[in-house]
Amino acid sequence: MCAAVAARRGLRVVLIDHAVRRAEKIRISGGGRCNFTNLEGGRIERYFGEQSGFVRPALRAYPPDRFIALVRAHDIGFHEKHKGQLFCDDSSEQIIDMLGAECARGEVTEMRPCELRALSLASSPGKARFLLDTSEGKVSASHVAVATGGLSIPKIGATDLGYRLARQFGHRVVEPRPALVPLTFDAAAWADFVPLAGVALPVGIQSGGSPVFEDDLLFTHRGLSGPAVLQASSFWRSGTSLAVDLLNGLDAAHWLFAERQRAGQRPLGSALADRLPRRLASAWVERAGGPDLVRRRLAELGNRQIEQIAAQLRSWQILPGGTEGFRKAEVTSGGVATEEIDPRSMQSRRVAGLYFIGEVLDVTGWLGGYNFQWAWASAFVAADSMGR
Ligand SMILES: Cc1cc2nc3c(=O)[nH]c(=O)nc-3n(C[C@H](O)[C@H](O)[C@H](O)COP(=O)(O)OP(=O)(O)OC[C@H]3O[C@@H](n4cnc5c(N)ncnc54)[C@H](O)[C@@H]3O)c2cc1C
């Protein structure tokens, strides 16, 4: 994106990547259909990092509408799936081809696969401030944009190069952590739920001071996944618990009192199975109160007991042991600290001509197209600044 826009501004651009194939993350994104932006992608509270307002100027300069216009101009069909999330109708390859075509139009030179061995400042800074020593030869440049992403999915080429370059030029790096990642549990503590692998349900979930995320939760063999859990994982810290509203906003006490009145002879387990997947209803009640409680008729439950059960359903406390790590994380939170990056251009305040864009920065978006929106917007303002 940055290469294409810079080339359109009349610059000679070289795009260096060590991967054999172009834009692997786009290829695998959104289940192969690339959730390329979100209609609400301009809302700054959907992004987090040490400096919450950092994203504002770039998102203002390049809001989702502008990327949507580009997608339309390339005749790529798309649809809104859920909560403003825009996906290609056919394939994420279309977004890769679109960016490839934009680069070709600007005559961007691609060096790929190509290793960057060293980036240094030219000894007599003139027009070419930087010297790049690569496996394909030497390159000199007036501007360098570091767009090396985070540490997620090392098997398709993620490395810490961007963080190393940042440190080399005196920038601080906020500790990178896996985000939008499935949560895992201690095997013994999770044993009751292992048979539920594959069960999914809509929930509300909150981690610490995070917003409540209302979306699907999925049981896996090792723990929990699904969009609600991925969202909450970005805010989770080791040793803390998460609260899950299994009935997703339903007033559980009110419903159980009404159900006791209407059909007092029903066992609790069977009543709960109206609202939860049956296997989860039994496993959850058994864990909360033993097999007896599953069979107990609603009429046998006192008001206090119903209130207690309702409170636990509204706020099921779970204590993850860890995450599936960078191997499975969709993004990396943390990264190059934004305090010494100009938010209007992504240019380093320490080294003129050096830019950091996309996920390598300490900016992380919610699930749902926000991380690509950040990549496009930060790339755009950087290229625009280089052009000027
Ligand atoms: C499975 C999966 C699905 C996703 N789905 C979505 C989605 O649908 N919507 C969304 O908004 N976000 C999604 N994301 C997140 C999104 O892909 C990233 O936030 C986005 O790609 C970041 O863009 P970037 O350009 O900063 O970095 P990247 O896309 O990661 O690109 C970094 C590039 O740098 C290259 N590189 C790295 N190290 C070196 C090195 N040492 N030398 C040379 N080159 C190097 C890499 O090869 C790569 O091409 C998904 C992520 C994953 C893993």
Side-chain angles (χ1 to χ4, degrees):
M1 179 75 181
C2 186
V5 177
R8 291 292 289 276
R9 299 283 188 277
L11 298 179
R12 277 183 62 210
V13 183
V14 177
L15 179 55
I16 297 173
D17 200 305
H18 71 160
V20 176
R21 300 218 294 176
R22 208 190 247 171
E24 280 294 272
K25 283 267 174 76
I26 298 180
R27 200 182 314 280
I28 63 170
S29 67
R33 293 231 163 92
C34 188
N35 176 194
F36 56 80
T37 193
N38 192 297
L39 294 173
E40 301 195 349
R43 293 179 62 174
I44 63 166
E45 69 276 17
R46 301 284 161 92
Y47 303 82
F48 58 94
E50 278 185 353
Q51 286 187 302
S52 54
F54 178 80
V55 297
R56 193 193 305 270
L59 293 172
R60 277 219 180 123
Y62 198 85
D65 281 356
R66 291 195 69 174
F67 194 77
I68 295 168
L70 184 64
V71 169
R72 283 212 169 97
H74 282 258
D75 277 333
I76 298 173
F78 62 90
H79 59 279
E80 180 184 347
K81 198 165 165 189
H82 179 54
K83 300 187 174 189
Q85 301 168 5
L86 301 186
F87 285 78
C88 297
D89 289 344
D90 295 331
S91 162
S92 49
E93 302 275 352
Q94 293 172 291
I95 301 292
I96 302 175
D97 292 347
M98 174 185 89
L99 294 172
E102 290 287 316
C103 282
R105 209 154 112 178
E107 296 182 23
V108 171
T109 305
E110 286 198 55
M111 291 170 67
R112 180 170 43 83
C114 176
E115 299 282 341
L116 177 72
R117 293 188 181 130
L119 172 64
S120 50
L121 292 174
S123 48
S124 52
K127 216 172 160 219
R129 291 194 198 99
F130 300 97
L131 297 175
L132 293 87
D133 182 8
T134 82
S135 55
E136 305 302 300
K138 298 204 188 301
V139 178
S140 58
S142 55
H143 303 82
V144 170
V146 178
T148 46
L151 298 177
S152 310
I153 325 279
K155 91 168 180 255
I156 58 163
T159 73
D160 67 349
L161 176 66
Y163 307 141
R164 281 188 275 125
L165 290 173
R167 289 195 186 101
Q168 176 190 334
F169 291 103
H171 283 270
R172 185 169 67 85
V173 174
V174 179
E175 189 198 348
R177 286 184 304 107
L180 299 179
V181 63
L183 297 171
T184 57
F185 291 81
D186 172 72
W190 198 247
D192 292 348
F193 296 109
V194 171
L196 298 180
V199 169
L201 71 158
V203 299
I205 184 167
Q206 191 175 27
S207 172
S210 83
V212 176
F213 293 105
E214 292 182 355
D215 216 317
D216 283 355
L217 169 151
L218 170 72
F219 284 84
T220 69
H221 289 286
R222 285 162 47 86
L224 294 174
S225 187
V229 172
L230 297 183
Q231 297 274 37
S233 75
S234 298
F235 298 86
W236 179 73
R237 295 290 179 275
S238 182
T240 64
S241 55
L242 292 97
V244 182
D245 176 359
L246 285 169
L247 298 180
N248 196 17
L250 179 80
D251 183 340
H254 183 265
W255 166 65
L256 280 171
F257 284 133
E259 200 55 19
R260 184 177 64 179
Q261 178 103 13
R262 193 188 69 80
Q265 294 313 305
R266 286 187 86 184
L268 173 64
S270 139
L272 269 182
D274 288 353
R275 301 276 175 183
L276 295 176
R278 180 169 293 278
R279 284 191 290 153
L280 172 61
S282 321
W284 187 86
V285 182
E286 234 183 280
R287 204 166 144 116
D292 266 7
L293 189 61
V294 184
R295 289 188 290 273
R296 190 91 52 85
R297 296 182 192 290
L298 292 173
E300 294 162 10
L301 299 175
N303 290 356
R304 257 197 75 204
Q305 206 170 3
I306 286 197
E307 270 161 13
Q308 274 169 359
I309 294 167
Q312 287 174 40
L313 286 166
R314 290 294 305 268
S315 183
W316 180 36
Q317 299 290 317
I318 52 169
L319 181 64
T323 75
E324 292 281 5
F326 288 117
R327 203 174 46 90
K328 291 263 180 81
E330 280 202 13
V331 290
T332 301
S333 65
V336 179
T338 51
E339 72 224 348
E340 289 190 298
I341 304 291
D342 180 347
R344 284 155 306 170
S345 65
M346 303 299 129
Q347 187 167 197
S348 164
R349 294 193 203 274
R350 301 183 72 94
V351 182
L354 180 64
Y355 295 76
F356 292 90
I357 57 176
E359 202 180 308
V360 73
L361 283 164
D362 174 31
V363 171
T364 308
W366 284 18
L367 185 80
Y370 296 95
N371 286 293
F372 277 135
Q373 178 56 37
W374 172 246
W376 315 138
S378 55
F380 176 85
V381 294
D384 198 46
S385 156
M386 291 177 197
R388 272 187 277 117

